[in-house]
Amino acid sequence: MDSTLIWTAVFVISTFGLYIGIAIWARAASTDEFYVAGHDVHPVFNGMATAADWMSAASFLSMAGLIAFAGYDGSVFLMGWTGGYVLLALLLAPYLRKFGKFTVPDFVGDRYYSQAARIVAVICALFVSFTYIAGQMRGVGIAFSNFLHVPIEVGVIVGAIIVLFYAVLGGMRGITYTQVAQYCVLIFAFMVPAIFLSLQITGTPIPQLGFIGNAQDGTPLLQGLDTTLVDLGFQPYTDGSKSTLDVFAITLALMVGTAGLPHVIIRFFTVPKASDARRSAGWALIFIAILYTTAPAVAVFARSNFIETVNESTYAADLAPEERPADATPDWFYNWEETGLLGFTDLNGDGRIQYRADPAENEVTTLDRDIFVLANPEIGNLPAWVIGLVVAGGLAAALSTAAGLLMVISSAVSHDLCKKVLLPDMSETQELLVARTAAMVAVLIAIIAGIYPPGFVAAVVAFAFGLAAASFFPAIFLGIFWKRMSKEGAVSGMSIGLLTTGAYIIHFKIGFSPIVTGVVALVLALAGLVLFIGTRTGGRGSMPVLAGSGLLGLVGLLGVTGILPGLAPGRADDWFLGISPEGFGAVGMLLAFAVSISVSLATKAPPQDVQDMVEEIRIPSARTG
Amino acid sequence: MSELKPGDGEIYPPEAEVGAGAAARAYWRENLTLMGILLAIWFVVSFGAGILFRDWLDQFSIGGAPLGFWFAQQGAIYVFVVLIFVYSALMGRLERKYNMSDDDAA
């Protein structure tokens, strides 16, 4: 066994042990502890936990690489995934904390005095969270299989068992303190290679300064990279290829989506007071910003360094390391070739690697974007233990996000659906049991989704953020800032936002094939059925809902069995105003706002007690309802 | 943001609470003003400097980076952090002024 493998195993096993230890120490005994960690988490700790909750495997492993290839276009992720915290701190978090309940559907249901609104919120929350969690479990599996040489399936299952252990045992309390630990692991693992890389390439240990600094030859790093890229046929790094409107829309959708994601919002229910929620959002953003301002620096370092050391180097995989010539391709290139993340085809037979934009001349035939974070320790000639640390960091990022999502799923089912809608007579012990069972079932589904990734995993970002932006954000925002907003407005706004955004993304990302149409119709039919059962009063339910649900079920069956005709995926030329699916959430949000406001104005104002509740959550010191 | 107007079915609060209601309205108005100013800054540094006026700003540079590009990948994020802490501090002050703070120390 080589030393990298040993170090990786040591780090992975010891961090996993730590997470389990914390879970046993922080186990939850009451629903209050299970859902909101007893409302007693310190704002700084909650900030760290939020940062870990928020930064997924994609932020840790893929984002720097994504930016390295996208250049300016990558800015949408940097601004979008941080700017949302301003909206959260100013517009949502303090008021939702003041409201003082357990979940997002709790707020929607109470504010809109309606079981239908609550159920629509539950459906949105489940939909967003399941999409997101499937991607996380896949990430865990890939990290395991690449570094510990175990099959992806085993990796997914091991990761899932760890998450299950502390989520089921500790609930929000266990998750909070493991996330604090996971944040420390992941930020350390990200920063160590970044600092060394910055030293090596720009001579300064602070990556953020290296980003605007000079390369070792004295020319500004970004300018040098622009020139080199243009020479090789790429477009300049600091130029974008997306239209301004599209960049605007994607950034807006990601920001608003961030503020509307239930697994982020519920973190702010765990602090003691409304003022702590504001402060905590600030801390969360500081902890996130450390990684998010380093990532674009790493992106520039990695892309520059890759071109400098690999392009036009002599490929010498067959020679022993000490026999390789001075201009040989660096050693890490051969190591990563074995994993399949890098590939070289000598098209012109000159024994050198040509890296070009033109596919007919480019000889780096495989270049996985994750390589730019994973290979950093080797590129920086760092010792083997650093690689182990990076793997542990990637796993920490994936597990912490998965746990947060699991919490949303579990509370949506046990608290919002079972306790508040289907079985209001449940005792607290029973509710806890249901919550833990729901978490277990959710993990099982996540395992399956991680092993057999459904096509939509690739569209996770577009889905989760677009749907959160178009459904939750308008409903919560208007609920706090506009007393006139009625239940009809909320239900119609959320449904229209969810359906149009969902349809746009599916059409342009996946395409309405018969099976996709069928599954979507079946899911909607199930949702309709829950809505029918949940809104029944005195044994009578809404017949149109039941009929609609039945019709959708029929369409679903036809689709799944392949009888229905399919529709080819849409082409980029047909995008609405040139807005990509990732950015459509912004349009969906505006639509949801418009529908909510006009429907509210056309319907009755909310009852007095609801308006009083809105008054009350606006004042932090008022008696908590 | 339409507030409920008298006559919309709102029951007037008893005498003792009129003062508190006025204070609550004044507090809320100040909060909205502060929020509006900070969100304007939020918009200007990200959507403004980083996207809409990026090309113009790129003629300037900060260190070795074009300014618009730098705002999009670094500057906006720093300003976001500052905005939240400023809001948190000013709201703390506002709440003490109106005696609405939830801080035990106040």
Side-chain angles (χ1 to χ4, degrees):
Chain A
M1 289 229 301
D2 65 292
S3 61
T4 311
L5 195 61
I6 296 172
W7 277 113
T8 306
V10 166
F11 273 111
V12 170
I13 292 168
S14 57
T15 51
F16 279 23
L18 176 70
Y19 307 150
I20 291 176
I22 293 173
I24 293 171
W25 166 74
R27 64 193 177 279
S30 65
T31 47
D32 205 36
E33 286 182 351
F34 192 87
Y35 292 133
V36 291
H39 291 305
D40 69 351
V41 179
H42 189 277
V44 177
F45 279 155
N46 185 54
M48 273 193 204
T50 309
D53 198 45
W54 174 238
M55 294 190 283
S56 59
S59 287
F60 185 91
L61 289 176
S62 311
M63 195 175 63
L66 196 66
I67 299 167
F69 288 110
Y72 171 77
D73 285 341
S75 313
V76 295
F77 301 113
L78 295 166
M79 287 186 288
W81 284 338
T82 53
Y85 280 86
V86 178
L87 298 177
L88 201 59
L90 269 58
L91 303 176
L92 310 182
Y95 308 106
L96 290 174
R97 172 62 194 91
K98 182 67 208 336
F99 172 67
K101 296 285 175 61
F102 292 154
T103 66
V104 174
D106 246 349
F107 175 78
V108 174
D110 286 9
R111 166 63 181 83
Y112 296 115
Y113 45 98
S114 140
Q115 291 294 59
R118 190 188 301 275
I119 293 166
V120 173
V122 168
I123 293 164
C124 294
L126 289 178
F127 212 74
V128 170
S129 304
F130 266 118
T131 328
Y132 216 117
I133 207 170
Q136 300 307 314
M137 295 322 294
R138 186 76 187 162
V140 171
I142 291 173
F144 264 97
S145 70
N146 273 344
F147 293 96
L148 294 169
H149 306 296
V150 294
I152 287 187
E153 295 77 19
V154 178
V156 171
I157 292 168
V158 171
I161 289 171
I162 300 288
V163 177
L164 187 66
F165 188 80
Y166 63 75
V168 168
L169 199 62
M172 199 57 166
R173 231 170 98 85
I175 287 177
T176 301
Y177 294 104
T178 33
Q179 282 175 338
V180 170
Q182 283 160 339
Y183 176 75
C184 298
V185 172
L186 81 87
I187 202 68
F188 188 63
F190 195 81
M191 294 310 288
V192 167
I195 288 170
F196 278 95
L197 210 60
S198 179
L199 263 178
Q200 191 181 328
I201 291 171
T202 66
T204 160
I206 302 168
Q208 286 81 355
L209 292 180
F211 180 69
I212 57 170
N214 295 341
Q216 297 289 32
D217 63 2
T219 57
L221 188 64
L222 277 166
Q223 220 177 355
L225 181 58
D226 275 356
T227 321
T228 317
L229 283 174
V230 172
D231 286 347
L232 299 180
F234 295 93
Q235 61 166 352
Y237 190 80
T238 53
D239 271 4
S241 61
K242 291 186 162 83
S243 75
T244 304
L245 181 65
D246 197 22
V247 170
F248 193 99
I250 298 176
T251 308
L252 186 61
L254 294 182
M255 281 189 185
V256 177
T258 299
L261 276 181
H263 75 283
V264 178
I265 292 178
I266 56 165
R267 287 245 42 104
F268 294 93
F269 292 152
T270 66
V271 294
K273 296 174 308 232
S275 57
D276 289 331
R278 286 195 290 261
R279 225 166 291 153
S280 191
W283 283 108
L285 188 56
I286 286 192
F287 294 127
I288 292 167
I290 296 175
L291 192 145
Y292 272 57
T293 53
T294 304
V298 168
V300 175
F301 301 154
R303 189 89 187 265
S304 309
N305 186 66
F306 180 80
I307 296 174
E308 194 170 312
T309 56
V310 171
N311 188 38
E312 299 296 343
S313 64
T314 307
Y315 186 78
D318 302 333
L319 298 175
E322 55 279 3
E323 291 169 20
R324 288 173 188 157
D327 68 341
T329 311
D331 297 348
W332 57 265
F333 191 94
Y334 315 115
N335 296 343
W336 286 94
E337 242 187 321
E338 285 168 25
T339 64
L341 297 180
L342 267 178
F344 164 60
T345 318
D346 198 358
L347 295 176
N348 59 6
D350 68 351
R352 287 167 174 276
I353 299 179
Q354 271 90 30
Y355 176 55
R356 297 287 184 277
D358 182 359
E361 292 175 40
N362 182 28
E363 298 182 346
V364 184
T365 38
T366 314
L367 181 51
D368 192 285
R369 63 182 184 213
D370 294 354
I371 196 99
F372 282 157
V373 166
L374 292 173
N376 272 349
E378 286 167 83
I379 296 173
N381 287 322
L382 300 180
W385 64 266
V386 181
I387 300 168
L389 188 63
V390 170
V391 178
L395 287 171
L399 293 179
S400 56
T401 307
L405 293 162
L406 206 55
M407 201 57 224
V408 171
I409 296 173
S410 141
S411 62
V413 171
S414 64
H415 183 73
D416 301 313
L417 209 56
C418 291
K419 173 77 181 172
K420 290 293 177 90
V421 176
L422 300 176
L423 304 159
D425 300 328
M426 262 198 312
S427 71
E428 189 173 320
T429 324
Q430 285 170 320
E431 192 182 336
L432 269 178
L433 185 68
V434 174
R436 290 183 159 131
T437 315
M440 276 191 251
V441 174
V443 167
L444 283 181
I445 299 176
I447 290 177
I448 296 169
I451 296 177
Y452 307 102
F456 65 73
V457 165
V460 166
V461 170
F463 262 126
F465 289 88
L467 298 182
S471 60
F472 283 121
F473 185 80
I476 302 174
F477 174 81
L478 289 172
I480 298 166
F481 288 89
W482 196 42
K483 277 190 284 183
R484 183 65 181 75
M485 174 85 163
S486 69
K487 67 173 176 193
E488 292 84 0
V491 172
S492 55
M494 280 196 290
S495 318
I496 301 253
L498 189 74
L499 291 178
T500 48
T501 312
Y504 190 85
I505 295 171
I506 292 178
H507 179 58
F508 285 106
K509 279 287 218 194
I510 310 170
F512 281 102
S513 61
I515 181 93
V516 172
T517 315
V519 171
V520 170
L522 282 181
V523 169
L524 288 176
L526 189 66
L529 196 64
V530 174
L531 196 62
F532 172 76
I533 298 170
T535 53
R536 245 179 346 169
T537 38
R540 290 170 40 136
S542 156
M543 276 308 142
V545 172
L546 188 63
S549 165
L551 196 64
L552 278 168
L554 193 66
V555 173
L557 286 180
L558 288 178
V560 174
T561 46
I563 297 173
L564 226 56
L567 198 63
R571 291 172 306 122
D573 298 342
D574 300 331
W575 285 352
F576 175 71
L577 297 177
I579 293 173
S580 55
E582 284 78 9
F584 195 78
V587 180
M589 173 193 72
L590 293 178
L591 198 64
F593 265 112
V595 169
S596 298
I597 292 173
S598 29
V599 171
S600 290
L601 288 175
T603 47
K604 259 192 1 214
Q608 192 57 43
D609 59 321
V610 170
Q611 301 202 21
D612 290 345
M613 182 192 102
V614 176
E615 285 286 348
E616 207 175 276
I617 60 170
R618 291 178 179 181
I619 299 170
S621 62
R623 170 185 55 82
T624 309
Chain B
M1 310 294 135
S2 89
E3 294 291 318
L4 206 68
K5 285 173 228 57
D8 271 4
E10 188 180 37
I11 301 148
Y12 280 102
E15 282 300 308
E17 282 179 24
V18 170
R25 271 194 294 278
Y27 158 82
W28 188 244
R29 207 168 306 126
E30 280 200 51
N31 177 16
L32 291 182
T33 312
L34 177 60
M35 224 177 247
I37 296 169
L38 296 179
L39 285 178
I41 301 175
W42 165 82
F43 185 85
V44 166
V45 295
S46 50
F47 294 98
I51 299 175
L52 299 174
F53 306 117
R54 174 179 87 89
D55 292 334
W56 183 79
L57 279 175
D58 275 353
Q59 60 180 305
F60 308 104
S61 55
I62 176 166
L67 192 58
F69 177 79
W70 181 82
F71 260 105
Q73 300 216 333
Q74 300 268 304
I77 302 176
Y78 299 132
V79 179
F80 293 157
V81 172
V82 174
L83 285 177
I84 299 183
F85 279 100
V86 166
Y87 180 68
S88 176
L90 292 181
M91 280 306 279
R93 215 163 72 183
L94 189 66
E95 279 155 13
R96 279 191 296 280
K97 176 175 152 192
Y98 285 100
N99 212 4
M100 286 172 180
S101 176
D102 59 1
D103 253 325
D104 306 327

